[in-house]
Amino acid sequence: MRTKIILTALAICALTGFALEPGETELEHNGWYRYTNQSSALKLTDPTVSRFSLERGYLRFSHQWVPAFFTKMTVDIFSSDKYPEGATVRLKEAYADLSLPFVRDFNFTAGLQKHYFGLIYSWDYTHPEKELADEQGICASADYGLTVNGYLPSGLGELQLGIYNGEGYKYAGKYVNTSPEFLGNIRLTPFAGVALGFSVFTNSADAALYKNDKKGRITEAGNIFYMNADTANTSRLALAPSLKLAFGPFSILGEYLGYSYTRKFSYYQINHDTSGNIVDSTLVQKQKDYQMTGLDLVPMITLAGRKIEVFGRFSMWNRREQSGDSMSLNKDKSFVRYGAGANYHFVRREKGKPGLIFQFAWTRTQPKNSELKPTDVLLAQVRFEWSTVITKPSL
Amino acid sequence: MEVKMKKTVSILAMLSTIILGAEVIVKGSDTMLNLTQRLAEAYSNVQPDVTVSISGGGSGVGINAIINREVDIANASRRIKSKEISAARANGVDPTEIVIALDGLSVIVNNKNPIKQLTVQQIGAIYRGEITNWNQVGGPNKKIVLYGRQPNSGTFVFFREEVVKGEYSSAMRQMNGNAQIVEGVKADEGGIGYVGLGYIKNVEGIKPLAVAKKVGENYISPTDEARVRSGDYPLTRPLYQYTNGRPKGIVREFILFELSPAGQKIVEEEGFVPVTQNYIERNNSILQE
């Protein structure tokens, strides 16, 4: 039913668009050329990762049909080790945006669009690495869905309400769950220098990547038919209060993350007789609770007429897993991260001008298990971004 | 004590300006470009140690520049949007509004066109593409050619909201600035355009139309300064400058000059209308120390 609603909305938007005469088209390209050096305890000459890559290769086509109707499509062509050609392409955005009648500054958006959670949708990669919720897989920065989104009067802030697939933009088709995700986000800017935000999303279950839909059995040769566990994360709930303070050249961006779900899984347990022969299998169903909390802080100072940005990064991630009646900390998967870096803007992006930035960042991630060594990541990146408006020829 | 402190701060500010030299950076509206350039030139005679750099690009570009702290003043021929205020605040910028002049946005046609007046509704229908020939509004049998601005222009936005009240016809030629619209209409007998009042002064080959709010009401010319000033002219609009917080130091001094009798005389000379009492009072409350 939900798919039908989405398809119908997309079809209406597309048909409305094609019925109109063309307006203004914009073509945009973002190219991020990155060197990554990852090592244990800063052994740069003995890295576990040392590579150059095209981290992002966005090609974006947007068209303002009329002021009230806008469409956009973005594909990302980037380096990937999943294919022998060393690169792949994926769809990042594809949506239609329609101004709501009678509600000033609000739009209805349908399609693959921004996922308005925490800082993820406005993360502009001033720090070249991903925002914590994105990196830890709480959610993706884009997803398929329908939203009502817009701006509150008098510059008070913004508000978004949405219904999404809940799997992010990398998953489609059979990987999409049957229960939709519901999202709400508000960001308030009551006065200069302060932005307060709060986001929440929930869905009853994500996609079961492994379906245990066949009964376990033994082949004639006596081999066990191996079954993957049937898994699904249910009762997903994520919260993200966020804050940005900005005074003069100083700013600090921060968010707290709370995320919980219950993983339900099943498998066939092989039963043996007293002689140890396999006689049967029994379906076993279990569940386990997970709770994650995180903190992400990015302080920054802008220098030399906005040519240089110097930033720091502090992140914390605690992953708790059910163990009997208690929720114990998984120290291997919990960590503290800190680091610093700088950006140099050769050219600031603005109308008619491309943007050219050199970015450098170092981060150290120390797992909470003190027996594990820290991981150091050094990134150096050149970002080149430009756009052009394709105007109609005057006849 | 407080007065003494204020005086000391002012003297220190003046001294630092004299010793270091100083610059006020202004960017934005093309409608206000010539006006603020003239004001800057005149100000340099009063304050030779202060350089005022003016550039255009459109109201949207100027507002974006103040949001990103790239300029001291954004010129805008439209009011700042809610979305822009929110982005500014999140960036630690407090957009503060001053009105430096009034404009009677002028609808112009070629001098050879016998049409002298139109209602706002007729102009709207023309720009929506519903009226396409001059003979539909009492003129000659000639195709109407639309000249307008680009979407980053405050004039484009103001005219769309106040006159077009819908979508511009896709046949409209989107010009870079007011001067290009004037040139286009001057060379085109079927042409119609909209420009700031400052761009029609002493220009031959075009004429402004008298405009009535609706049928049955008085047609008023944008050149009737008193009617623009009183707001009777249907397309009267304020011309804004935005600063980050209450203007201070040389930025404040420059704005005070713009609003001074000498500055407002230049406003008149450039074809615009000096600010009215209600705006003077509002400006004063922002500019008081």
Side-chain angles (χ1 to χ4, degrees):
Chain A
M1 181 61 188
R2 186 162 49 98
T3 310
K4 276 184 185 171
I5 293 169
I6 293 172
L7 288 174
T8 309
L10 281 172
I12 290 167
C13 292
L15 288 171
T16 314
F18 289 123
L20 298 163
E21 291 188 58
E24 187 178 89
T25 304
E26 187 171 16
L27 173 64
E28 185 181 345
H29 174 248
N30 294 2
W32 296 9
Y33 310 97
R34 181 179 288 186
Y35 170 71
T36 309
N37 181 302
Q38 183 179 309
S39 63
S40 180
L42 211 59
K43 286 181 186 162
L44 298 182
T45 53
D46 184 21
T48 52
V49 173
S50 174
R51 63 168 173 245
F52 292 97
S53 60
L54 173 61
E55 198 63 24
R56 176 178 285 190
Y58 279 5
L59 265 182
R60 187 172 274 150
F61 305 89
S62 57
H63 191 83
Q64 188 77 54
W65 296 88
V66 289
F69 184 55
F70 174 80
T71 53
K72 185 188 261 188
M73 192 180 87
T74 303
V75 289
D76 188 8
I77 304 164
F78 62 104
S79 304
S80 171
D81 53 12
K82 288 182 184 167
Y83 300 91
E85 291 80 8
T88 189
V89 57
R90 70 181 173 208
L91 192 58
K92 185 68 203 279
E93 286 176 303
Y95 65 80
D97 207 26
L98 195 66
S99 294
L100 287 182
F102 314 116
V103 191
R104 200 178 165 89
D105 295 331
F106 269 81
N107 296 322
F108 168 74
T109 306
L112 177 55
Q113 59 182 300
K114 281 182 180 181
H115 188 249
Y116 296 99
F117 179 76
L119 299 179
I120 196 167
Y121 73 93
S122 57
W123 190 255
D124 63 359
Y125 290 89
T126 296
H127 192 293
E129 290 187 279
K130 285 181 176 178
E131 176 264 0
L132 193 59
D134 192 0
E135 186 216 41
Q136 290 301 313
I138 293 180
C139 61
S141 58
D143 201 349
Y144 295 84
L146 306 173
T147 62
V148 171
N149 54 85
Y151 290 85
L152 304 171
S154 309
L156 200 60
E158 56 184 283
L159 174 71
Q160 294 93 15
L161 298 168
I163 176 169
Y164 293 93
N165 269 351
E167 316 291 0
Y169 63 96
K170 292 176 190 169
Y171 299 96
K174 66 180 179 181
Y175 297 115
V176 176
N177 64 51
T178 52
S179 54
E181 175 198 296
F182 298 96
L183 174 139
N185 177 56
I186 188 162
R187 192 169 289 182
L188 298 174
T189 46
F191 44 84
V194 177
L196 293 160
F198 184 78
S199 316
V200 58
F201 78 74
T202 184
N203 76 332
S204 55
D206 68 4
L209 294 182
Y210 304 106
K211 280 282 185 193
N212 198 356
D213 53 0
K214 289 178 187 170
K215 196 176 178 186
R217 61 186 172 84
I218 307 162
T219 65
E220 283 181 5
N223 298 319
I224 299 165
F225 185 88
Y226 182 77
M227 303 296 294
N228 281 318
D230 177 1
T231 63
N233 295 338
T234 62
S235 309
R236 292 175 72 218
L237 175 68
L239 308 167
S242 64
L243 174 71
K244 184 183 177 187
L245 299 174
F247 296 101
F250 302 98
S251 69
I252 184 161
L253 184 64
E255 73 176 333
Y256 174 82
L257 297 166
Y259 180 43
S260 64
Y261 59 84
T262 300
R263 176 167 291 169
K264 287 187 175 169
F265 56 103
S266 64
Y267 57 90
Y268 282 93
Q269 183 176 288
I270 306 301
N271 302 320
H272 302 81
D273 61 15
T274 50
S275 310
N277 299 316
I278 296 168
V279 292
D280 201 356
S281 61
T282 311
L283 180 65
V284 179
Q285 289 178 313
K286 289 196 171 182
Q287 67 177 51
K288 187 175 175 180
D289 292 337
Y290 293 81
Q291 284 175 358
M292 274 71 74
T293 54
L295 182 70
D296 209 2
L297 295 172
V298 183
M300 187 175 78
I301 179 167
T302 308
L303 304 165
R306 296 180 75 235
K307 279 267 178 205
I308 298 169
E309 290 156 340
V310 180
F311 53 81
R313 180 92 185 252
F314 176 80
S315 311
M316 213 166 63
W317 184 249
N318 289 327
R319 179 184 170 98
R320 292 182 183 278
E321 299 176 7
Q322 186 182 5
S323 174
D325 289 338
S326 67
M327 298 294 293
S328 55
L329 187 70
N330 182 333
K331 290 187 175 179
D332 290 358
K333 291 181 177 175
S334 301
F335 59 81
V336 171
R337 177 181 295 156
Y338 51 90
N343 299 329
Y344 182 80
H345 291 258
F346 291 96
V347 187
R348 275 271 181 191
R349 176 106 180 259
E350 64 174 285
K351 185 198 162 210
K353 271 190 192 175
L356 180 62
I357 318 169
F358 175 73
Q359 298 187 283
F360 177 80
W362 159 76
T363 51
R364 165 165 288 193
T365 305
Q366 174 63 61
K368 293 214 167 166
N369 179 351
S370 54
E371 289 176 7
L372 296 175
K373 285 185 178 174
T375 303
D376 289 283
V377 177
L378 282 167
L379 293 178
Q381 179 167 277
V382 172
R383 268 166 75 168
F384 182 59
E385 302 175 353
W386 58 270
S387 65
T388 186
V389 173
I390 305 163
T391 48
K392 277 188 309 168
S394 291
L395 300 172
Chain B
M1 180 67 183
E2 199 182 324
V3 176
K4 217 172 187 182
M5 271 285 278
K6 276 182 183 171
K7 274 187 179 170
T8 314
V9 170
S10 297
I11 290 164
L12 282 174
M14 272 174 68
L15 278 174
S16 65
T17 302
I18 292 162
I19 295 163
L20 302 171
E23 188 179 15
V24 178
I25 303 171
V26 186
K27 193 174 194 174
S29 166
D30 286 311
T31 302
M32 297 166 72
L33 188 60
N34 291 349
L35 170 63
T36 37
Q37 267 168 352
R38 276 278 325 269
L39 288 163
E41 281 163 22
Y43 187 63
S44 70
N45 295 330
V46 182
Q47 279 286 2
D49 298 311
V50 178
T51 308
V52 183
S53 308
I54 314 278
S55 58
S59 301
V61 172
I63 289 170
N64 204 37
I66 197 91
I67 291 170
N68 290 318
R69 299 170 180 277
E70 289 167 353
V71 296
D72 300 301
I73 298 173
N75 280 341
S77 61
R78 65 160 170 86
R79 204 151 201 199
I80 191 168
K81 295 174 189 169
S82 190
K83 177 184 176 178
E84 292 164 336
I85 299 171
S86 183
R89 286 178 179 169
N91 227 11
V93 172
D94 178 20
T96 305
E97 187 179 282
I98 301 280
V99 174
I100 64 156
L102 299 180
D103 182 22
L105 186 62
S106 309
V107 178
I108 55 168
V109 294
N110 190 283
N111 246 352
K112 291 180 183 160
N113 190 329
I115 291 285
K116 288 181 180 162
Q117 58 190 40
L118 290 172
T119 64
V120 171
Q121 287 159 328
Q122 284 174 316
I123 300 166
I126 288 171
Y127 270 90
R128 289 193 299 272
E130 292 161 14
I131 294 175
T132 54
N133 195 302
W134 284 111
N135 64 14
Q136 292 172 269
V137 287
N141 181 17
K142 199 162 199 63
K143 192 186 165 199
I144 299 175
V145 182
L146 305 173
Y147 291 85
R149 294 293 311 279
Q150 292 168 326
N152 59 351
S153 153
T155 308
F156 174 99
V157 175
F158 176 84
F159 196 75
R160 187 180 69 208
E161 287 176 359
E162 299 298 322
V163 180
V164 183
K165 293 181 177 157
E167 309 310 343
Y168 281 106
S169 160
S170 61
M172 184 179 83
R173 296 179 182 185
Q174 296 190 355
M175 313 302 277
N176 276 330
N178 287 272
Q180 286 76 13
I181 293 178
V182 169
E183 288 308 310
V185 175
K186 199 194 280 188
D188 189 341
E189 284 183 34
I192 183 169
Y194 54 84
V195 293
L197 198 44
Y199 286 82
I200 60 168
K201 198 180 174 195
N202 303 326
V203 178
E204 291 178 359
I206 55 146
K207 63 180 180 189
L209 297 180
V211 180
K213 274 181 190 154
K214 53 187 173 186
V215 180
E217 292 201 5
N218 286 339
Y219 287 88
I220 302 165
S221 167
T223 55
D224 184 343
E225 188 189 315
R227 308 295 293 275
V228 173
R229 185 184 263 266
S230 66
D232 289 343
Y233 177 66
L235 305 180
T236 298
R237 61 174 177 167
L239 298 178
Y240 303 97
Q241 287 190 329
Y242 289 94
T243 57
N244 178 10
R246 287 179 181 226
K248 287 176 191 152
I250 52 170
V251 175
R252 179 175 175 273
E253 296 300 322
F254 175 61
I255 292 172
L256 283 173
F257 172 76
E258 293 180 308
L259 298 170
S260 70
Q264 292 296 293
K265 189 164 179 282
I266 292 169
V267 166
E268 275 191 288
E269 285 167 7
E270 281 299 306
F272 294 100
V273 176
V275 285
T276 48
Q277 191 56 35
N278 56 332
Y279 288 119
I280 290 170
E281 283 165 17
R282 225 183 62 172
N283 290 341
N284 286 345
S285 70
I286 291 162
L287 290 163
Q288 69 187 4
E289 279 189 302

